[in-house]
Amino acid sequence: MAKLGSFYPSSIRQSRSWSWIFWIVFLIGAVYGLNTRFGLTPPLGIFLSPFEGAFQVTLQEYQSPGVYTIKGQAGPIKIELDQNLIPHIQAETESDLFLGQGFITAKHRLWQMDFQNLAASGQLSKVIGPKALELDKFQRRFGIPEAARRSGLEMMKNPKTRIALEAYSEGINQAISSWPKRQLPLEFKILDYGPEKWKPENTGLLLKRMAFTLSGNSDDKDLNKILETFGKSVVDQLFPTHLPDEEPIIPKGTPWNFAKLTIPKVPVSMGWTDTTDTSIPINSGPKLEDDDEIGSNNWAVSGRKTKSGFPILANDPHLSMKLPATWYVAELKAPGYHCMGATLPGSPGVISGFNENFSWGVTNGYPDVTDWYRVVFKDNTKKYYWMDGVWKPIKRSIMNYEVRGQMTVTDTMYWTDFGPLVYQRKEKPFQNNIPEGHALRWTAHDPGNELLAFLRLNHLSSVDQVPFALSTYMCPAQNFVVADKKGNIGMFAQFGKIPVRWNEQGKFLLMAGSADHHWAGYIPKDQLPKSINPKSGFVSSANQIPADTIYPYYLGWDYYAVERGKRINQVLGSDSMFTISSMIRLQNDSKNLWAEKTLSTMLQMVKSKSKKAKWATDILSKWNLNNDPNEIGPTLFETWFGIWMDRVWGDNFKSGLRYPDKHVTWQILVEKDNSDWFDISKTKKMETGSELMAEAFHFALDSLERRLGEFQGNKAQYLWGNFKGTKVGHLGLMPGLGTETLFTGGGKGIVNATGPTNGQSWKMIVELGPKVKAFGIYPGGQSGNSASPFYDNFIEPWRLGQQKILQFKL
């Protein structure tokens, strides 16, 4: 019998052979390709598999309201997830309570916690690859992991925080071990990695990363360059500490009844005399123009100013808005412990919240706790540096970076008695404000136990207990607003570890080798600014300067502009009797006090009678001075004023230097329109401030038209809610997992400080009556699972200025 192949010509048999080879190679390549990661693209075969891939995240447990029970050390732990997926956790001991909190938080936010831990510890490269290497180096060189290690040891020494951290970590790890790998959050699948076991020190990393966000930035490098370029008198005029019409957190004229510590004199080496008690130049003002969206508001009103007769407390921290959200709401109950509010995924307890008798909230203090010291090495070996008249050995350590897809990278870290030498001379800093060849002194590097302070706040019943509760709190310094059911209210401003300084110490770069440039101890915490039950009947803070010139210690100069705080005080200082509803309205307030002060004068400087100019001036003249989303006025005003600031300062403050504040600039304009600051050096004529204002008006209209199109056909694009472009992006910058533009109001210098990417990350109102009434919301949702309806279900009510009831269920 003939062989089958003999019926076919040899050419066909060869063609079929090559076809088989092609298909075998293709299938091998397809199998390899579908199961191999390319760059940041996950293995598509696994990712798309219905059994192992993205579909499986829709089957995650604990994503629906209901009552769940998990096993604790002392007994069962009850977790009730309400209609908004807020957990109400009840346990027989505090240890089991934190175990339950860690468990359910991980079930809802595991990837967020793991990713933030990698970022704070400088280990993103092993997941992201070489793109994250410079960020990882910066995190470690800045000393964030080392600071977390030191504070971790401090927290583990204290029985209360040790128990909380160990139990919280155990709960997270139980959640990880009980989680089928195929159902891990989507981001793990996209980045093709898995979660690591949670350790107690990871909480320290989270808290230190937050400390960096709120206290790790400074402009010493910029100010030093401005000092060298223009001299001290110009710096005093353009970048002063105080403003004549400022409204500090603690009311002006408040006496300070304590024996102050000896305050050092300004060293002769600085080249100027101490001006602590001299009068402030008339055209001075606060300076902070880099990001008015990062900040916070808080206030408390006594019962004599409320319709109910009970105190009301409000808090809204302004942070970067991301999905999964910064905050996670929970109710916690165990014998002797019962509170509710906003928690940070990765940390036990409640950060901003309330119990049956007491409520608290926080805003960032912004004292200067970050200084830079120039390091002089003995020679090129860089083994010794000059300090206190001797050559001291520098500590070196080798950092290893595991980089995905590459060999391990090593880096040398140098540590002085001040702190890390973040970048050597001629190295390029990851952030431009980091001075090369300088060591960092930062209070966050010192051991502290901020967690213990918050756990104590969770237990409090009265305002007079606050100083003890906060005694272990170090960094970042915060303004703590508090209220109790007895009717007391209080503000503990700048609370943290604040150095005793000579006037303006740390405003410029310092010398490591000069002993009189070193810190001279710390301000006693009972001498930090505070106000309890003031005659006004309210306390408030909005990141402004904490006290007037009577306060004896120098705290810093880099505080926010006055409008937010002034507007809050304007409303709270009225004769109104307040309710929860009126407090919610105040948190949503969009009154633009800066436009109220400046706009009419600006309009007088516009001389053009063109059709386009008339259209714009008509809109601005009729604007209600609120940054509401349906208004066009804010779009025109903010663009116009911003261009004017660029015209005024861009000529002198080049190379990315920060501009003087708008208050300083406006005061110069009002007092001396022909000031040399308004003259553009590259032109022959002598410009005035008003001429630049008129030019900026036309530039603004042209700029908007190029960007948005002609107004008549694109009116919607000119509306403030669209122009501002508020979005809640994804924490890992993953497309499709954030929001589109949110049509919302607010902006810089507004009580509702919502900008393009930062804003009211958490809003809370608490009335402390016989039965606590509380409301809160944040731009996000309780679940970190993008397939869950609870991923972003709070965003729309947040956008509309609404809040959810926060109710004890246990």
Side-chain angles (χ1 to χ4, degrees):
M1 180 171 151
K3 292 183 180 179
L4 184 62
S6 63
F7 288 103
Y8 298 94
S10 60
S11 60
I12 295 179
R13 291 199 303 270
Q14 290 174 358
S15 175
R16 291 172 66 90
S17 298
W18 282 112
S19 296
W20 280 106
I21 292 172
F22 167 80
W23 285 109
I24 290 171
V25 171
F26 174 81
L27 289 172
I28 292 173
V31 170
Y32 175 79
L34 291 172
N35 289 276
T36 303
R37 172 191 173 105
F38 296 96
L40 293 179
T41 304
L44 292 179
I46 298 173
F47 185 76
L48 298 175
S49 167
F51 306 105
E52 298 289 335
F55 168 76
Q56 285 289 320
V57 302
T58 64
L59 305 178
Q60 288 178 1
E61 297 180 313
Y62 300 95
Q63 295 295 320
S64 301
V67 179
Y68 303 85
T69 301
I70 64 172
K71 184 179 180 181
Q73 298 293 328
I77 302 170
K78 175 187 172 184
I79 302 174
E80 180 180 350
L81 299 178
D82 68 17
Q83 70 274 16
N84 290 306
L85 215 66
I86 293 174
H88 303 263
I89 310 166
Q90 186 168 16
E92 296 181 16
T93 64
E94 283 192 23
S95 176
D96 277 357
L97 181 64
F98 295 129
L99 188 154
Q101 184 186 5
F103 178 88
I104 195 61
T105 304
K107 284 296 184 182
H108 290 159
R109 301 290 188 86
L110 179 60
W111 177 79
Q112 174 189 10
M113 295 158 63
D114 188 82
F115 189 77
Q116 289 178 328
N117 176 60
L118 290 174
S121 60
Q123 298 185 81
L124 273 182
S125 298
K126 69 181 185 181
V127 172
I128 303 297
K131 289 183 178 180
L133 181 59
E134 291 307 312
L135 172 60
D136 283 348
K137 286 183 179 180
F138 174 71
Q139 295 290 104
R140 297 198 207 180
R141 285 189 176 199
F142 206 88
I144 292 175
E146 175 61 18
R149 185 191 68 82
R150 295 176 179 182
S151 285
L153 292 174
E154 191 74 13
M155 289 188 287
M156 294 304 281
K157 288 179 185 176
N158 182 279
K160 189 175 186 67
T161 46
R162 185 183 69 250
I163 290 171
L165 287 171
E166 289 177 344
Y168 190 80
S169 299
E170 173 61 24
I172 295 171
N173 290 325
Q174 280 190 26
I176 294 173
S177 62
S178 67
W179 210 325
K181 183 180 178 180
R182 65 182 182 278
Q183 292 180 7
L184 284 172
L186 180 64
E187 291 89 345
F188 284 118
K189 298 176 183 295
I190 292 174
L191 296 174
D192 189 29
Y193 83 107
E196 296 185 351
K197 183 178 180 181
W198 191 268
K199 302 174 184 177
E201 54 262 37
N202 291 2
T203 295
L205 282 167
L206 170 72
L207 296 177
K208 291 303 178 183
R209 178 62 194 177
M210 184 64 77
F212 170 78
T213 299
L214 298 177
S215 71
N217 287 299
S218 71
D219 283 295
D220 303 9
K221 180 180 177 181
D222 269 12
L223 266 291
N224 208 73
K225 188 171 182 179
I226 294 168
L227 176 68
E228 293 172 349
T229 304
F230 297 105
K232 185 63 166 59
S233 62
V234 169
V235 174
D236 288 341
Q237 181 193 30
L238 301 184
F239 302 93
T241 300
H242 289 278
L243 176 71
D245 64 345
E246 69 194 3
E247 291 190 14
I249 296 172
I250 309 304
K252 288 183 178 181
T254 298
W256 304 101
N257 301 315
F258 52 73
K260 70 176 183 180
L261 301 181
T262 300
I263 299 174
K265 296 294 183 181
V266 176
V268 175
S269 60
M270 294 304 295
W272 73 80
T273 57
D274 192 335
T275 58
T276 304
D277 299 317
T278 63
S279 61
I280 304 302
I282 187 64
N283 54 346
S284 64
K287 183 208 76 69
L288 187 66
E289 282 298 310
D290 63 334
D291 198 341
D292 287 342
E293 300 161 21
I294 291 287
S296 306
N297 303 320
N298 65 13
W299 62 83
V301 178
S302 73
R304 63 186 174 86
K305 288 183 71 69
T306 66
K307 285 188 176 180
S308 66
F310 306 121
I312 300 177
L313 180 144
N315 188 204
D316 57 295
H318 309 154
L319 296 169
S320 177
M321 299 183 295
K322 299 292 184 185
L323 289 172
T326 300
W327 304 101
Y328 179 78
V329 179
E331 178 188 2
L332 309 175
K333 187 173 185 181
Y337 190 117
H338 192 196
C339 66
M340 187 175 186
T343 75
L344 280 173
S347 181
V350 172
I351 302 298
S352 170
F354 58 94
N355 57 40
E356 289 100 333
N357 301 297
F358 182 80
S359 183
W360 68 98
V362 293
T363 67
N364 197 29
Y366 287 105
D368 187 358
V369 295
T370 306
D371 284 353
W372 295 93
Y373 289 83
R374 183 185 175 194
V375 173
V376 176
F377 284 110
K378 185 176 182 180
D379 51 42
N380 289 335
T381 64
K382 299 178 181 178
K383 292 182 178 180
Y384 298 91
Y385 69 101
W386 187 250
M387 181 174 174
D388 293 339
V390 297
W391 293 107
K392 301 199 71 173
I394 198 165
K395 298 175 184 176
R396 298 188 187 194
S397 56
I398 304 298
M399 298 284 110
N400 294 312
Y401 297 86
E402 182 183 341
V403 183
R404 191 165 198 164
Q406 293 188 0
M407 300 286 289
T408 298
V409 175
T410 60
D411 185 40
T412 303
M413 186 170 179
Y414 297 83
W415 202 285
T416 70
D417 283 7
F418 296 100
L421 179 63
V422 182
Y423 288 100
Q424 300 278 358
R425 288 180 180 84
K426 297 184 179 180
E427 286 187 311
K428 184 178 180 180
F430 182 76
Q431 291 187 181
N432 290 331
N433 67 327
I434 307 298
E436 306 93 318
H438 286 70
L440 169 65
R441 180 71 182 96
W442 182 32
T443 56
H445 286 145
D446 301 340
N449 197 339
E450 290 77 17
L451 176 61
L452 180 59
F454 282 111
L455 294 181
R456 285 173 171 172
L457 285 174
N458 292 185
H459 284 84
L460 295 192
S461 59
S462 65
V463 168
D464 59 12
Q465 298 170 324
V466 172
F468 171 74
L470 296 180
S471 59
T472 63
Y473 190 90
M474 301 296 175
C475 184
Q478 298 287 291
N479 304 316
F480 289 87
V481 67
V482 293
D484 65 34
K485 189 173 285 189
K486 301 171 187 175
N488 300 303
I489 60 172
M491 178 68 70
F492 294 82
Q494 310 290 283
F495 210 96
K497 189 175 186 178
I498 314 295
V500 175
R501 304 168 175 272
W502 35 267
N503 189 45
E504 296 188 307
Q505 182 178 1
K507 188 172 184 176
F508 313 98
L509 300 178
L510 301 169
M511 293 293 295
S514 300
D516 52 7
H517 284 214
H518 303 177
W519 291 353
Y522 301 92
I523 301 174
K525 290 187 175 178
D526 61 356
Q527 295 184 10
L528 293 170
K530 63 178 178 292
S531 177
I532 299 174
N533 296 327
K535 292 180 180 179
S536 64
F538 70 91
V539 292
S540 73
S541 76
N543 314 115
Q544 72 268 47
I545 198 162
D548 62 11
T549 56
I550 297 175
Y551 185 72
Y553 297 109
Y554 175 74
L555 297 169
W557 70 280
D558 210 355
Y559 293 94
Y560 274 20
V562 302
E563 280 74 35
R564 254 192 305 125
K566 183 173 287 187
R567 175 59 178 166
I568 292 169
N569 292 344
Q570 187 182 82
V571 174
L572 297 182
S574 69
D575 293 332
S576 300
M577 297 298 284
F578 296 100
T579 64
I580 288 177
S581 295
S582 60
M583 292 303 187
I584 291 176
R585 284 196 299 273
L586 180 53
Q587 284 186 333
N588 295 331
D589 187 273
S590 64
K591 186 73 172 181
N592 192 325
L593 291 188
W594 182 245
E596 185 177 69
K597 177 178 180 177
T598 62
L599 181 57
S600 61
T601 302
M602 291 167 63
L603 287 171
Q604 292 172 19
M605 297 176 183
V606 177
K607 306 302 181 183
S608 174
K609 303 298 183 182
S610 70
K611 183 178 179 180
K612 187 189 299 184
K614 186 178 187 307
W615 162 78
T617 54
D618 283 350
I619 288 177
L620 288 167
S621 299
K622 296 173 183 177
W623 175 32
N624 63 10
L625 300 179
N626 288 319
N627 277 27
D628 294 332
N630 284 301
E631 292 288 336
I632 297 173
T635 302
L636 299 176
F637 174 77
E638 299 292 349
T639 304
W640 179 12
F641 194 87
I643 289 176
W644 181 68
M645 288 286 289
D646 284 335
R647 293 283 289 164
V648 172
W649 298 116
D651 194 43
N652 289 297
F653 290 81
K654 300 174 182 178
S655 304
L657 289 178
R658 279 179 63 173
Y659 293 167
D661 178 71
K662 62 187 179 184
H663 298 79
V664 174
T665 314
W666 185 259
Q667 196 75 16
I668 296 173
L669 174 69
V670 170
E671 294 182 352
K672 192 175 183 181
D673 188 25
N674 63 347
S675 167
D676 288 345
W677 290 117
F678 298 127
D679 183 39
I680 307 299
S681 60
K682 61 185 178 183
T683 65
K684 292 182 179 180
K685 65 174 293 189
M686 178 77 176
E687 288 85 2
T688 66
S690 57
E691 288 174 344
L692 295 184
M693 185 68 77
E695 291 178 9
F697 176 76
H698 294 290
F699 287 151
L701 298 185
D702 290 342
S703 173
L704 288 171
E705 193 169 84
R706 287 193 301 270
R707 175 180 170 182
L708 307 176
E710 291 187 6
F711 174 73
Q712 295 303 326
N714 300 278
K715 180 178 179 180
Q717 299 303 313
Y718 284 76
L719 298 177
W720 179 241
N722 290 325
F723 179 79
K724 179 162 62 75
T726 297
K727 293 182 180 180
V728 181
H730 184 261
L731 177 64
L733 305 180
M734 296 181 183
L737 299 184
T739 71
E740 298 299 323
T741 298
L742 301 175
F743 191 71
T744 184
K748 290 185 177 183
I750 311 297
V751 177
N752 173 11
T754 301
T757 59
N758 303 318
Q760 295 173 305
S761 65
W762 161 246
K763 296 197 286 187
M764 178 185 73
I765 307 285
V766 180
E767 182 179 81
L768 290 165
K771 183 179 180 181
V772 176
K773 295 180 181 178
F775 294 79
I777 201 161
Y778 59 84
Q782 289 287 95
S783 176
N785 182 349
S786 57
S788 167
F790 301 103
Y791 179 67
D792 57 3
N793 62 307
F794 289 162
I795 289 182
E796 182 59 13
W798 173 87
R799 184 187 72 83
L800 295 173
Q802 302 169 358
Q803 297 193 26
K804 299 288 185 180
I805 296 173
L806 302 178
Q807 186 174 0
F808 285 137
K809 287 183 172 292
L810 303 174

